[in-house]
Amino acid sequence: MEKQQIFRRGQAAFRLLFTSPDNSGGVTVSGSGFLELLHGLIELEGRSGVPGGAVAADYCNVIFRRYGAGASEELLCALFDSFTAAGVRPEELRAREFTPTVAFLIDETCALLLLLRQIRLDLPGFGLLPGAESIFADLDLVDGPETLAAAIAGADRFLRGRVFRFIRDRFIPAKADSAKPVEKFFGFPGVRAIFQDHFRKYAEGISNIPLLINSLPGYGKTSMTISYALAEPEVVLILPEPEALEEDWHALMAPLTARRDLKFVVFFDDIDPRSINWYKFRTHVGGAFTLPPNVNVALSANYEFPPSILSRGRRVSFPVFDEVRCQEMVEDFLRDFGLRTIPGNLVSLIAADYTEEFGQHKFTELSPRTLMRYLEIYQKSTVKRRNIVEVAMGPMITRPDPELFYEFNIELMRSLYGEDYIKRLLKERLKNL
């Protein structure tokens, strides 16, 4: 095949696999930055009469700097996404006989790989970075349609783990360090019941409305969302950067929408609802479009969500952490530790000791987070457990100071929400009286 035929055939294959028509009569490349770079390289090299060698080398250098030896893996992942978007199921790529769709797409992929090989052959002498001259060279080793199909099937990123970061159009495997068994969460029974009910209904295909979570800092929004989502075996968890709510919505959602065989929870953590441009979210969630049934969105914030967003999802708001909820957490902890009968005096004493340590500046905040850090001491120290039990059996029992919690929470809310919020809160409390 002549060089120009290779260019034209490979360009046509790229357009078929990775582009869609736009309103101006041209084509739009998928939201992937990798594919946009690849498209620039292919179009440049394929233009008749344009030498393009040095500029093509620049493109290859950029691809190599950004993706390194993983450029071939990026291409295989993009091909897998393209195949699934065309309705190809992963098992069809491993079948002994291809369906007509798979056979057609594999043929187009071969044409694209042939073009990339030709471009690489034209590059020497144009200022390539060391290593960039062999970009995509490993794909030349793919021998035959069956091997190529198996390589594409092997690029199914979502079968390599259950947690992924989404950063600049890339899904990166991650480890959820804050995940723990759901039975290890203590206190807040109403909140925990909502989390369990929400993700269970989503896993069962009953509902996929967004979950909108807010509380003061340190209440466990992140770890609880991650743990309850991963408690459902079918769920794959995606952790995007907050910017994806405004800029990369399509690049994030398109690969997930195509994977109807999987269920995704997309968790935007620690966002600031006051500064977010909600246009894309409102458009694609309860607006002109709806979320695909295999995608569920969860958002957490230290601030309230605006009414236009709350109306599109299910709200869960943590009650304020006070002396009552502190003792609830302690009681649940002791029950999990193995105590069948929980003495009230012991619960009060542990809670009071926790607040005393806060007063001694051993903790910077009164919150479920620091309480759990405090309770870990009892798991590790036999002496600490024995001493607290002996004191609890005595005649004098101290109790946690409600005023300490009240003052801390008021100051925290004032620093987060401002003085007007505190005045409104006090006004509402007076009305209730």
Side-chain angles (χ1 to χ4, degrees):
M1 188 183 297
E2 295 182 1
K3 184 184 291 189
Q4 281 302 116
Q5 289 179 299
I6 292 174
F7 284 142
R8 288 194 297 270
R9 181 77 177 84
Q11 284 180 301
F14 182 93
R15 287 193 293 269
L16 184 143
L17 290 164
F18 301 124
T19 69
S20 57
D22 59 25
N23 295 329
S24 64
V27 294
T28 300
V29 181
S30 162
S32 165
F34 169 78
L35 291 178
E36 289 174 354
L37 285 172
L38 193 59
H39 184 238
L41 171 64
I42 288 171
E43 290 296 319
L44 175 72
E45 274 294 287
R47 292 192 193 108
S48 175
V50 178
V55 183
D58 291 340
Y59 268 99
C60 287
N61 284 338
V62 172
I63 294 173
F64 183 73
R65 279 198 300 267
R66 187 171 297 180
Y67 300 97
S72 293
E73 184 67 18
E74 287 290 328
L75 179 55
L76 288 172
C77 286
L79 286 165
F80 184 88
D81 291 341
S82 176
F83 278 51
T84 54
V88 176
R89 299 188 305 276
E91 59 268 22
E92 292 181 273
L93 290 167
R94 300 184 178 91
R96 292 185 178 181
E97 293 187 10
F98 292 154
T99 65
T101 300
V102 173
F104 173 75
L105 293 176
I106 288 292
D107 188 52
E108 295 298 307
T109 302
C110 289
L112 174 62
L113 296 181
L114 184 60
L115 169 56
L116 293 176
R117 180 177 180 276
Q118 183 61 55
I119 290 174
R120 196 173 65 256
L121 293 176
D122 293 341
L123 286 177
F126 287 103
L128 285 168
L129 289 169
E133 75 282 351
S134 60
I135 193 169
F136 303 122
D138 50 338
L139 294 180
D140 292 346
L141 303 176
V142 175
D143 182 22
E146 293 80 8
T147 307
L148 177 57
I152 295 172
D156 184 357
R157 60 174 75 84
F158 297 127
L159 294 185
R160 301 176 189 178
R162 294 188 62 202
V163 183
F164 294 83
R165 305 279 303 178
F166 179 77
I167 303 174
R168 290 188 305 178
D169 73 46
R170 300 181 67 188
F171 292 92
I172 303 171
K175 184 178 179 181
D177 294 326
S178 63
K180 60 183 179 181
V182 294
E183 59 271 13
K184 294 299 181 179
F185 289 98
F186 308 130
F188 301 103
V191 171
R192 287 189 283 131
I194 292 175
F195 273 95
Q196 184 178 56
D197 177 72
H198 180 86
F199 290 115
R200 183 160 296 171
K201 283 183 177 177
Y202 168 60
E204 294 173 353
I206 297 173
S207 170
N208 74 325
I209 62 172
L211 186 64
L212 308 171
I213 312 149
N214 81 285
S215 77
L216 292 172
Y219 280 41
K221 298 183 293 296
T222 300
S223 58
M224 200 172 289
T225 304
I226 291 173
S227 296
Y228 275 94
L230 293 178
E232 303 300 331
E234 305 91 339
V235 163
V236 175
L237 182 66
I238 309 295
L239 304 171
E241 298 296 299
E243 293 77 15
L245 266 174
E246 303 174 271
E247 301 169 6
D248 302 321
W249 184 268
H250 178 73
L252 167 62
M253 290 297 170
L256 310 184
T257 302
R259 294 304 306 274
R260 297 303 176 101
D261 56 315
L262 296 175
K263 288 184 177 294
F264 299 96
V265 169
V266 181
F267 179 33
F268 292 92
D269 188 26
D270 197 23
I271 65 172
D272 188 343
R274 304 167 302 172
S275 61
I276 294 288
N277 181 346
W278 291 101
Y279 173 76
K280 288 190 177 179
F281 183 85
R282 292 199 313 269
T283 299
H284 291 89
V285 181
F289 307 98
T290 59
L291 282 173
N294 67 318
V295 176
N296 187 222
V297 175
L299 304 96
S300 80
N302 294 331
Y303 301 89
E304 285 278 3
F305 291 92
S308 61
I309 302 304
L310 286 174
S311 64
R312 286 168 161 80
R314 181 180 188 180
R315 177 188 180 188
V316 53
S317 183
F318 284 70
V320 173
F321 182 67
D322 58 14
E323 77 284 0
V324 175
R325 293 184 179 91
C326 175
Q327 291 178 89
E328 286 178 352
M329 288 188 65
V330 172
E331 186 174 344
D332 285 350
F333 168 81
L334 293 174
R335 188 174 293 107
D336 180 75
F337 200 74
L339 274 69
R340 294 183 180 180
T341 302
I342 314 295
N345 287 349
L346 179 60
V347 173
S348 296
L349 189 62
I350 291 175
D353 189 58
Y354 161 68
T355 57
E356 183 178 338
E357 292 202 359
F358 169 77
Q360 296 170 359
H361 305 290
K362 294 183 180 180
F363 303 110
T364 58
E365 62 184 20
L366 288 172
S367 71
R369 175 167 49 203
T370 58
L371 175 58
M372 288 308 303
R373 196 183 307 157
Y374 165 82
L375 292 174
E376 287 174 0
I377 300 171
Y378 291 97
Q379 293 177 318
K380 300 173 182 177
S381 174
T382 306
V383 174
K384 182 78 170 178
R385 294 198 299 269
R386 183 173 61 247
N387 289 344
I388 201 75
V389 169
E390 289 176 355
V391 175
M393 295 172 65
M396 296 290 294
I397 300 297
T398 56
R399 303 189 181 280
D401 182 8
E403 190 68 20
L404 189 65
F405 285 91
Y406 176 79
E407 291 178 358
F408 175 82
N409 288 324
I410 285 293
E411 287 305 313
L412 179 58
M413 287 187 282
R414 180 178 283 114
S415 66
L416 283 173
Y417 310 138
E419 190 64 38
D420 288 343
Y421 178 87
I422 300 301
K423 291 178 180 178
R424 188 169 67 251
L425 192 68
L426 293 175
K427 186 176 180 180
E428 291 174 359
R429 181 166 294 185
L430 286 172
K431 283 183 178 179
N432 292 333
L433 291 175

